[in-house]
Amino acid sequence: MAPLIDPILTVSDLHAGYDGAPVVFGVSLQVMPGELVAIVGANGAGKTTTMRSICGLIHPLKGRILFEGHDISEMPAHEILKLGISYVPEGRRIFGKLSVRKNLYLGAYTEKSHIEVKRRMEELFEIFPVLRARANQVAETLSGGEQQMLAIARGLISKPKLLMLDEMSLGLMPTMVEKMMATITSINRAGATVLLVEQMVQEALEIAHRGYVIQNGKIIQQGSASQLMDSEEVRKAYLGM
Ligand SMILES: Nc1ncnc2c1ncn2[C@@H]1O[C@H](COP(=O)(O)OP(=O)(O)OP(=O)(O)O)[C@@H](O)[C@H]1O
Ligand SMILES: [Mg+2]
């Protein structure tokens, strides 16, 4: 029987890399509308390369990427953004010399209506009150956690259909990681489909519906988050149990 709902994102047999040399070898994954999916794996496994391929920063050497049924494999990044995929890269990449507000405006550049942008900014200030308090502060003077929130808020302000988060926990202390994960959960519950990449495997699987384990550029395991957390292999390799 055919599934009732089509995936929002389908990656099939993705081979991707740099200067023609693949580091990702045949990755296939799917994300359903409304899902929160985690890609987990060690340093250098190919998580960021997979994300960069989806959002068009690099193009597949082989394989296909479908978003809402359209082949986006060869599409430039700015067009993919317009289709509704927003990527929050590793390492925050905010504009340090600009204010919080200015950073958010830049994230909303695809939206022409100023009133709409202001409305969305208000919504985001409800989710991240600290950003309202610091709206006029220069972004580089925010704390690490605050910068991470700004990066997520900037990813959300374009109202993406799919929000992709790369390594949100990096450099955050455990209580901040917990807060960040709770925020992502509530953003997902409010309707955003989320694909996230994490080295913090336990934390990511605690909030995800489903997950994929990537190792040396290949998906070695997939399943519901609880299946993965129960898996002997995952527990040994990633959860230190
Ligand atoms: N711009 C680049 N040029 C050449 N090789 C690269 C480039 N970016 C990444 N690589 C290589 O590709 C492989 C996969 O890297 P990738 O960034 O996708 O891993 P990752 O799973 O995101 O790791 P991490 O958890 O450390 O962020 C690594 O061996 C890395 O050295
Ligand atoms: Mg990475």
Side-chain angles (χ1 to χ4, degrees), residues 172-182:
L172 299 182
M173 59 190 216
T175 56
M176 205 58 227
V177 172
E178 228 166 83
K179 244 178 143 177
M180 196 65 69
M181 294 296 172

PDB file of all heavy atoms in Angstrom, residues 172-182:
ATOM      1  N   LEU A 172      28.358  24.441  24.017  1.00  0.00           N
ATOM      2  CA  LEU A 172      27.425  24.881  25.054  1.00  0.00           C
ATOM      3  C   LEU A 172      27.559  24.006  26.297  1.00  0.00           C
ATOM      4  O   LEU A 172      27.824  22.811  26.203  1.00  0.00           O
ATOM      5  CB  LEU A 172      25.985  24.796  24.547  1.00  0.00           C
ATOM      6  CG  LEU A 172      25.621  25.641  23.343  1.00  0.00           C
ATOM      7  CD1 LEU A 172      24.151  25.474  23.015  1.00  0.00           C
ATOM      8  CD2 LEU A 172      25.952  27.117  23.586  1.00  0.00           C
ATOM      9  N   MET A 173      27.334  24.621  27.451  1.00  0.00           N
ATOM     10  CA  MET A 173      27.374  23.809  28.661  1.00  0.00           C
ATOM     11  C   MET A 173      26.092  22.981  28.763  1.00  0.00           C
ATOM     12  O   MET A 173      25.081  23.319  28.152  1.00  0.00           O
ATOM     13  CB  MET A 173      27.564  24.691  29.887  1.00  0.00           C
ATOM     14  CG  MET A 173      26.490  25.717  30.092  1.00  0.00           C
ATOM     15  SD  MET A 173      27.010  26.829  31.393  1.00  0.00           S
ATOM     16  CE  MET A 173      25.449  27.155  32.186  1.00  0.00           C
ATOM     17  N   PRO A 174      26.145  21.865  29.528  1.00  0.00           N
ATOM     18  CA  PRO A 174      25.021  20.911  29.539  1.00  0.00           C
ATOM     19  C   PRO A 174      23.649  21.541  29.794  1.00  0.00           C
ATOM     20  O   PRO A 174      22.687  21.184  29.112  1.00  0.00           O
ATOM     21  CB  PRO A 174      25.400  19.946  30.660  1.00  0.00           C
ATOM     22  CG  PRO A 174      26.890  19.985  30.690  1.00  0.00           C
ATOM     23  CD  PRO A 174      27.286  21.378  30.313  1.00  0.00           C
ATOM     24  N   THR A 175      23.541  22.494  30.712  1.00  0.00           N
ATOM     25  CA  THR A 175      22.214  23.066  30.974  1.00  0.00           C
ATOM     26  C   THR A 175      21.712  23.840  29.756  1.00  0.00           C
ATOM     27  O   THR A 175      20.524  23.851  29.452  1.00  0.00           O
ATOM     28  CB  THR A 175      22.222  24.031  32.177  1.00  0.00           C
ATOM     29  OG1 THR A 175      23.205  25.035  31.940  1.00  0.00           O
ATOM     30  CG2 THR A 175      22.524  23.310  33.472  1.00  0.00           C
ATOM     31  N   MET A 176      22.641  24.463  29.059  1.00  0.00           N
ATOM     32  CA  MET A 176      22.291  25.227  27.852  1.00  0.00           C
ATOM     33  C   MET A 176      21.863  24.270  26.738  1.00  0.00           C
ATOM     34  O   MET A 176      20.928  24.563  25.985  1.00  0.00           O
ATOM     35  CB  MET A 176      23.541  26.012  27.437  1.00  0.00           C
ATOM     36  CG  MET A 176      23.289  27.244  26.648  1.00  0.00           C
ATOM     37  SD  MET A 176      22.250  28.395  27.515  1.00  0.00           S
ATOM     38  CE  MET A 176      21.124  28.754  26.192  1.00  0.00           C
ATOM     39  N   VAL A 177      22.554  23.124  26.637  1.00  0.00           N
ATOM     40  CA  VAL A 177      22.197  22.121  25.625  1.00  0.00           C
ATOM     41  C   VAL A 177      20.761  21.661  25.868  1.00  0.00           C
ATOM     42  O   VAL A 177      19.945  21.581  24.946  1.00  0.00           O
ATOM     43  CB  VAL A 177      23.160  20.899  25.673  1.00  0.00           C
ATOM     44  CG1 VAL A 177      22.669  19.781  24.759  1.00  0.00           C
ATOM     45  CG2 VAL A 177      24.568  21.322  25.283  1.00  0.00           C
ATOM     46  N   GLU A 178      20.455  21.406  27.134  1.00  0.00           N
ATOM     47  CA  GLU A 178      19.115  20.959  27.495  1.00  0.00           C
ATOM     48  C   GLU A 178      18.060  21.986  27.074  1.00  0.00           C
ATOM     49  O   GLU A 178      17.032  21.648  26.503  1.00  0.00           O
ATOM     50  CB  GLU A 178      19.062  20.781  29.007  1.00  0.00           C
ATOM     51  CG  GLU A 178      18.443  19.469  29.451  1.00  0.00           C
ATOM     52  CD  GLU A 178      18.736  19.242  30.915  1.00  0.00           C
ATOM     53  OE1 GLU A 178      17.999  19.802  31.746  1.00  0.00           O
ATOM     54  OE2 GLU A 178      19.730  18.539  31.223  1.00  0.00           O
ATOM     55  N   LYS A 179      18.367  23.248  27.350  1.00  0.00           N
ATOM     56  CA  LYS A 179      17.455  24.336  26.998  1.00  0.00           C
ATOM     57  C   LYS A 179      17.254  24.412  25.486  1.00  0.00           C
ATOM     58  O   LYS A 179      16.136  24.570  24.996  1.00  0.00           O
ATOM     59  CB  LYS A 179      18.071  25.662  27.467  1.00  0.00           C
ATOM     60  CG  LYS A 179      17.267  26.377  28.526  1.00  0.00           C
ATOM     61  CD  LYS A 179      18.008  27.615  28.931  1.00  0.00           C
ATOM     62  CE  LYS A 179      17.098  28.774  29.226  1.00  0.00           C
ATOM     63  NZ  LYS A 179      17.874  29.931  29.695  1.00  0.00           N
ATOM     64  N   MET A 180      18.373  24.279  24.778  1.00  0.00           N
ATOM     65  CA  MET A 180      18.340  24.349  23.320  1.00  0.00           C
ATOM     66  C   MET A 180      17.486  23.216  22.763  1.00  0.00           C
ATOM     67  O   MET A 180      16.671  23.414  21.871  1.00  0.00           O
ATOM     68  CB  MET A 180      19.780  24.227  22.813  1.00  0.00           C
ATOM     69  CG  MET A 180      19.984  24.642  21.396  1.00  0.00           C
ATOM     70  SD  MET A 180      19.669  26.378  21.141  1.00  0.00           S
ATOM     71  CE  MET A 180      21.034  27.111  22.012  1.00  0.00           C
ATOM     72  N   MET A 181      17.659  22.010  23.309  1.00  0.00           N
ATOM     73  CA  MET A 181      16.894  20.853  22.850  1.00  0.00           C
ATOM     74  C   MET A 181      15.397  21.071  23.132  1.00  0.00           C
ATOM     75  O   MET A 181      14.560  20.738  22.296  1.00  0.00           O
ATOM     76  CB  MET A 181      17.379  19.567  23.542  1.00  0.00           C
ATOM     77  CG  MET A 181      18.800  19.164  23.178  1.00  0.00           C
ATOM     78  SD  MET A 181      18.969  18.739  21.432  1.00  0.00           S
ATOM     79  CE  MET A 181      20.746  18.566  21.288  1.00  0.00           C
ATOM     80  N   ALA A 182      15.090  21.638  24.287  1.00  0.00           N
ATOM     81  CA  ALA A 182      13.688  21.902  24.624  1.00  0.00           C
ATOM     82  C   ALA A 182      13.099  22.922  23.645  1.00  0.00           C
ATOM     83  O   ALA A 182      11.945  22.792  23.209  1.00  0.00           O
ATOM     84  CB  ALA A 182      13.580  22.410  26.062  1.00  0.00           C
TER      85      ALA A 182
END
